[in-house]
Amino acid sequence: SAVISQKPSRDICQRGTSLTIQCQVDSQVTMMFWYRQQPGQSLTLIATANQGSEATYESGFVIDKFPISRPNLTFSTLTVSNMSPEDSSIYLCSVRMDEGGYGYTFGSGTRLTVV
Amino acid sequence: ILNVEQSPQSLHVQEGDSTNFTCSFPSSNFYALHWYRWETAKSPEALFVMTLNGDEKKKGRISATLNTKEGYSYLYIKGSQPEDSATYLCAFSNDYKLSFGAGTTVTVRA
């Protein structure tokens, strides 16, 4: 299975600023996903990062707030823009390992606290 | 948004005891049911992927069952050990997206 390096592992940020989270995969993957887990809540899909095109966002998430880049098949970034305390969450990237299969691998997460 | 529920939210188990907890999910348009084990500051670790009604999977002391007709899965831990302490997540997929439950946090007391 793939190995994902996610950075940073944690950060404390001031409200109104932005943070960019990076995920590097050790192999080429087609499908890459970004999730958020707010305190006490489920892991929720933010968007699917598409190589060479705009990300596909889930209901309740918008590009202006969570811009995503996917310049190639091994790398993606998620930016949390104009942060507020409600953005304090764990952010995870994930990849699907095989087309039509069932295997997903996750990064180790970014624990974000907005003060 | 697909409603995936896990129960209980948390539980405490004495070392050596066995325990189990549930995941309920929509029974229509079923593709797969996933179980993950997630420790703080680590990546969620895949335990099982189950696709067929009646599936039973086992990995060491941990096992899982699947009932797609009624929309539930059980995860069992036999002879709990302190290293089993973690949050156990289930996730339902009906295409390439995963919908997660909020998790069951297991604490094993020595």
Side-chain angles (χ1 to χ4, degrees), chain A residues 37 58 96 100 102 104 106, chain B residues 31 34 36 38 43 96-97 102:
Chain A
Q37 186 188 43
E58 298 299 306
R96 181 172 171 177
Y102 311 107
Y104 294 81
F106 288 83
Chain B
Y31 188 66
H34 307 246
Y36 289 88
W38 194 12
S43 308
Y96 61 87
K97 300 179 188 179

Side-chain angles (χ1 to χ4, degrees), chain B residues 77-106:
Chain B
I77 304 176
K78 184 178 178 182
S80 303
Q81 300 297 309
E83 58 264 30
D84 296 327
S85 297
T87 296
Y88 293 82
L89 302 174
C90 73
F92 167 88
S93 62
N94 60 2
D95 54 20
Y96 61 87
K97 300 179 188 179
L98 297 179
S99 296
F100 283 87
T104 293
T105 299
V106 175

Side-chain angles (χ1 to χ4, degrees), chain A residues 23-92:
Chain A
C23 272
Q24 178 74 53
V25 190
D26 68 348
S27 57
Q28 293 188 338
V29 292
T30 304
M31 307 199 80
M32 199 165 200
F33 309 93
W34 287 97
Y35 289 85
R36 175 179 78 177
Q37 186 188 43
Q38 294 177 299
Q41 304 296 314
S42 307
L43 265 175
T44 302
L45 182 63
I46 297 171
T48 303
N50 305 308
Q51 192 264 332
S53 65
E54 273 194 6
T56 305
Y57 289 83
E58 298 299 306
S59 176
F61 297 97
V62 295
I63 188 171
D64 289 347
K65 176 67 176 176
F66 298 101
I68 288 171
S69 78
R70 181 91 194 270
N72 56 53
L73 292 176
T74 64
F75 185 78
S76 179
T77 67
L78 169 77
T79 299
V80 186
S81 302
N82 188 24
M83 288 183 285
S84 66
E86 292 70 37
D87 295 318
S88 298
S89 300
I90 298 173
Y91 292 86
L92 281 169

Side-chain angles (χ1 to χ4, degrees), chain B residues 54-74:
Chain B
D55 258 355
E56 294 186 20
K57 296 275 179 97
K58 187 176 181 182
K59 185 176 182 179
R61 293 178 292 97
I62 302 176
S63 60
T65 61
L66 178 67
N67 183 322
T68 61
K69 293 184 179 179
E70 297 182 37
Y72 65 84
S73 175
Y74 286 106

Side-chain angles (χ1 to χ4, degrees), chain A residues 1-23:
Chain A
S1 62
V3 176
I4 302 176
S5 174
Q6 183 173 343
K7 298 178 181 179
S9 60
R10 60 175 60 235
D11 208 340
I12 301 173
C13 299
Q14 296 291 323
R15 68 176 68 202
T17 62
S18 298
L19 176 72
T20 296
I21 302 167
Q22 299 181 2
C23 272

